[in-house]
Amino acid sequence: MGDPDPIAGVEIISIRKLNIRWMPVLFLFPSVLCYVLFKYYPLLNMIYVSFFRYSIVNPPGVFVGFSNYTEFLSSATFWQAVSNTFVFFALYLGLTFWIPIVQALLLSDIRRANAFFRFMYQLPTIVPAVAGILVWKWMYNPDFGLLNYWLHFVGLGPYLWLNDLNMTKLAIVLPAVFAGNGISLLLYYSAIKSVPTEILEAAKVDGAGPWRRIWTMLLPNIRFIIVIQFVAFMSGVLLAYDNIYVMTQGGPAGSTTVVSMLVVNTAFQQSRFGISGAMSMFMFIIIALLTVLQNKISAEKD
Amino acid sequence: MARKGVKEKGQRSLSITAYAVTVFFTLAALIPVLWMISSSLKTDKDIDAYPPKWLPSIPQSVRVTIDYTGQEPQDNVYYEKDAMRATWYPWMKNLRENIGEVEITGIRGGTMIYRAITSSSSFHVGQPMVVPSAMFNDTLMNLKLPIIKEQKLSKFKWYGDNGKAAGDTAGIADSALAAKFGEFYGSTAFVKGKVTSIVEKSAWSRLFDSYLSLNKLAKDAAGPMGFFQYFLNSSIVTLSCVFMQMVLGGLAGYTLSHLIRSKRWQFFWIMFFLATIMIPDISLLLPLYLLMKDLHLVNSLLAMILPHSAWGIIIFLFKGFFDQISKELLQAARVDGASEIRTFTQIVIPLSIPIFASVAVLTFIPVWNEFVWPLVVNNLPKYWTFTVALNDLQNQSNVQQNMIMASSFVSMTPLLIIFLFSQKYIEKGVSFSGVKG
């Protein structure tokens, strides 16, 4: 007993006081309960609902097998929404995805007022999406808006931003171009800062100029985070809802209705719960695949 | 940085590009916010100005003196109606003007018998009920006066015979607004007294009337607390979620990190929690709604709070942080006879303030900004959070952009304050969560 092995010592105590055994249960129980109640049960219920012509007055209604799935998969509205989602994806990819990368690479070169600029980059993150969109909606105002006024100086416009079928999608993406993405920026920035200075110094000695160092040293070092962020970006585009709803409510003529909006509208406007459940299932499968992909890539790095 | 001072080739162009791009995006982030603030301070005339104006002009107070000398004395209701006609009718005719308030002073035989003040926030809230169109007649005010009194739209102070002596009358001032009001009084016979003077003065304090309008508007929908009701709802929901995340997530993270010995069980529970990040919120919208309906929680604050008790990423963040606390330290405490709860509260928590702060901030921002779930689970304005109320404003017909911008600005202030004090915790939190984002 003179010099007890610490592990064995704890075992003795735990057996004597019997508190190590029920403590984990007590500590874990509230979380497990919440997860079952607010994640796993709803998930199973969603799958269950998707097989019924669900009636909210007299649940669950009539069992219809897979017909909810075939119904939404064969509806033109759904494929219109899918194609809108793809257009949004292309627009977001072309106009926004690379912006935080450029911002972070250039920010790493700035010494003066670096913290201030980092703060400013995150400012749009803290404006509630609804408020941010309402400001942009006001700037888009065709008669009194700031944007048409500015564009007339360069001989463009006036545009009917939110009523012109060719403009609405761009009008929804544009705020994100200027607002950037503060969180992604931070991730890229901290990854760039973690590149050892010795490597950079060595490259410098070898005659690589500052632009070349960005291209050959910094960018490859954050390539991994770019890939991860890209997967997260794909789910982000697929799940976009708030900004589109506040800006256009899916209009005009369904030109900005995306799949996530269809899920909500089918349930809460048309009360077709079964179909909405089936579409929820569709969204779940795609997002789950993307998440698994993201984790697989992270795991490969480790 | 050993060779400081020696400029490398290309360094100059890189620096210039870096500053140019960074300043450009900084301005791009700032302009909408500044435009929001500027718009929220504008009167109806400025908000529809073209070209758009950045600096709001100062609202004007129109002060009208009406002289009843030589008329039969009447009761105060008679005068109040007269004052209300003199206020609301010409204002409605000049709806899109830069009017901050209208003040009517009634005098009789050289003494002041009443004073009536109407602010632009009251006018905008009351206008659809009191003067829905520009078609007026004498009897209209008989119907509308009770509304004005009930909603406390105009302040009417009756002095009767005890009023102080009226100052000298200045006549109709030489300004655009005074001329418009004068023309209305001159061309119609609604006002029974004789208009002896109309003056225009700057009223700085009326710059903020869009904010006051919001509050008065919300009183109809959300009850006596007005706009503060939404603020209170958002605060209760957000703070409860932050508290819940810290307690539940902290305990579960600690258990996963230090209390479960079996590697197999540890893996099982980590997967149990972490797997839920695969489920998108939008998929759970419908089943969660059905669940809340079963629990009779639709239209309650609890419905907005409870689902936030299960965020896989939070437990993961806590576990990652607690893993760094040395096992020996905790063993020592246990050997000294400290209970698990004591170990957790007295050793682990003090060591883990940064992660608790990060979790608090990373919970606060998305919950405060959350929109779709509060939108579908509540249909009574009494339970609305800020974001839902804000979205509703744009669908109301008598709401101008200045009110919407005022509301937007109010909705971002708590976040701005939190953010100013916690930027470092956000940055830490992001690096804790690392690439999991």
Side-chain angles (χ1 to χ4, degrees), chain A residues 46-55 60-72 272-278:
Chain A
M46 171 194 89
I47 300 171
Y48 178 74
V49 166
S50 74
F51 292 113
F52 287 86
R53 185 167 300 121
Y54 197 83
S55 148
V62 189
F63 180 81
V64 291
F66 280 95
S67 85
N68 282 332
Y69 290 85
T70 49
E71 189 172 337
F72 90 76
R272 292 154 76 204
F273 295 98
I275 306 240
S276 179

Side-chain angles (χ1 to χ4, degrees), chain B residues 317-334:
Chain B
L317 277 179
F318 272 117
K319 185 191 170 290
F321 191 89
F322 292 148
D323 280 347
Q324 297 163 3
I325 295 175
S326 83
K327 290 233 189 291
E328 287 72 31
L329 185 68
L330 302 178
Q331 301 289 23
R334 290 186 193 121

Side-chain angles (χ1 to χ4, degrees), chain A residues 35 40 126 137-138 211 280, chain B residues 13 39 272 283 311 394 415:
Chain A
Y35 275 70
Y40 288 105
I126 60 152
K137 216 172 162 176
W138 168 222
W211 286 101
S280 300
Chain B
S13 63
S39 298
F272 175 85
S283 289
W311 284 14
Q394 62 165 335
L415 293 173

Side-chain angles (χ1 to χ4, degrees), chain A residues 104-124:
Chain A
L105 286 170
L106 291 175
L107 186 64
S108 71
D109 189 66
I110 288 182
R111 304 254 176 282
R112 213 167 293 144
N114 185 294
F116 168 75
F117 285 123
R118 264 191 348 254
F119 175 83
M120 291 308 296
Y121 273 142
Q122 283 165 77
L123 189 63

Side-chain angles (χ1 to χ4, degrees), chain B residues 2-3 23 28-29 51 54 68 85-86 93-94 112 116 124 169 173 192 206 216 233 246 278 303 319 401 432:
Chain B
R3 274 167 289 170
V23 169
W54 274 95
Y68 297 91
R85 281 192 295 262
K93 281 279 188 201
N94 299 293
M112 195 156 74
H124 284 113
T169 51
K192 302 305 173 214
R206 300 264 76 90
K216 288 177 181 160
N233 289 348
M246 295 209 280
M278 286 198 284
K319 185 191 170 290
Q401 285 293 343
F432 285 145

Side-chain angles (χ1 to χ4, degrees), chain A residues 119-159:
Chain A
F119 175 83
M120 291 308 296
Y121 273 142
Q122 283 165 77
L123 189 63
T125 315
I126 60 152
V127 180
V130 180
I133 295 301
L134 287 175
V135 179
W136 274 87
K137 216 172 162 176
W138 168 222
M139 296 203 295
Y140 283 143
N141 185 304
D143 299 322
F144 312 111
L146 209 49
L147 282 181
N148 276 352
Y149 173 66
W150 280 347
L151 287 175
H152 102 271
F153 285 117
V154 286
L156 292 172
Y159 295 111

Side-chain angles (χ1 to χ4, degrees), chain A:
Chain A
M1 283 290 283
D3 186 16
D5 178 30
I7 304 298
V10 171
E11 287 304 321
I12 291 163
I13 289 164
S14 70
I15 290 162
R16 194 166 61 221
K17 292 178 113 181
L18 280 178
N19 66 357
I20 301 283
R21 302 200 71 76
W22 58 262
M23 263 308 161
V25 179
L26 187 74
F27 278 17
L28 220 46
F29 180 74
S31 287
V32 173
L33 183 73
C34 289
Y35 275 70
V36 169
L37 206 54
F38 301 116
K39 290 281 179 197
Y40 288 105
Y41 168 72
L43 182 69
L44 294 177
N45 198 26
M46 171 194 89
I47 300 171
Y48 178 74
V49 166
S50 74
F51 292 113
F52 287 86
R53 185 167 300 121
Y54 197 83
S55 148
I56 197 145
V57 196
N58 184 21
V62 189
F63 180 81
V64 291
F66 280 95
S67 85
N68 282 332
Y69 290 85
T70 49
E71 189 172 337
F72 90 76
L73 282 173
S74 59
S75 80
T77 345
F78 175 75
W79 291 107
Q80 168 73 34
V82 170
S83 100
N84 286 340
T85 309
F86 271 108
V87 175
F88 274 120
F89 177 76
L91 279 174
Y92 275 112
L93 182 65
L95 293 175
T96 70
F97 178 70
W98 50 273
I99 285 179
I101 305 175
V102 173
Q103 287 173 339
L105 286 170
L106 291 175
L107 186 64
S108 71
D109 189 66
I110 288 182
R111 304 254 176 282
R112 213 167 293 144
N114 185 294
F116 168 75
F117 285 123
R118 264 191 348 254
F119 175 83
M120 291 308 296
Y121 273 142
Q122 283 165 77
L123 189 63
T125 315
I126 60 152
V127 180
V130 180
I133 295 301
L134 287 175
V135 179
W136 274 87
K137 216 172 162 176
W138 168 222
M139 296 203 295
Y140 283 143
N141 185 304
D143 299 322
F144 312 111
L146 209 49
L147 282 181
N148 276 352
Y149 173 66
W150 280 347
L151 287 175
H152 102 271
F153 285 117
V154 286
L156 292 172
Y159 295 111
L160 290 169
W161 296 93
L162 300 174
N163 294 311
D164 182 343
L165 288 178
N166 301 315
M167 295 292 280
T168 40
K169 290 192 183 77
L170 180 70
I172 283 171
V173 176
L174 211 52
V177 176
F178 293 104
N181 183 337
I183 301 290
S184 300
L185 173 100
L186 281 182
L187 282 174
Y188 292 131
Y189 183 74
S190 62
I192 291 168
K193 281 287 143 186
S194 68
V195 174
T197 23
E198 297 84 60
I199 299 185
L200 292 175
E201 286 296 311
K204 207 171 178 177
V205 172
D206 289 348
W211 286 101
R212 212 183 141 73
R213 283 204 300 276
I214 286 187
W215 194 248
T216 58
M217 312 256 71
L218 298 183
L219 203 56
N221 264 292
I222 59 168
R223 199 176 51 198
F224 165 69
I225 296 183
I226 295 177
V227 174
I228 295 285
Q229 282 292 299
F230 182 69
V231 183
F233 162 81
M234 287 198 279
S235 355
V237 172
L238 194 60
L239 296 176
Y241 178 91
D242 297 3
N243 57 341
I244 305 178
Y245 179 86
V246 177
M247 193 77 100
T248 62
Q249 300 217 338
S255 65
T256 54
T257 303
V258 288
V259 182
S260 56
M261 194 169 273
L262 223 47
V263 173
V264 180
N265 290 353
T266 318
F268 296 100
Q269 284 177 10
Q270 308 168 357
S271 300
R272 292 154 76 204
F273 295 98
I275 306 240
S276 179
M279 283 196 274
S280 300
M281 185 69 189
F282 171 82
M283 292 288 273
F284 166 62
I285 291 172
I286 294 186
I287 296 294
L289 287 177
L290 286 174
T291 316
V292 170
L293 180 68
Q294 187 180 351
N295 282 0
K296 242 191 150 66
I297 299 170
S298 327
E300 258 167 40
K301 167 84 174 182
D302 304 335

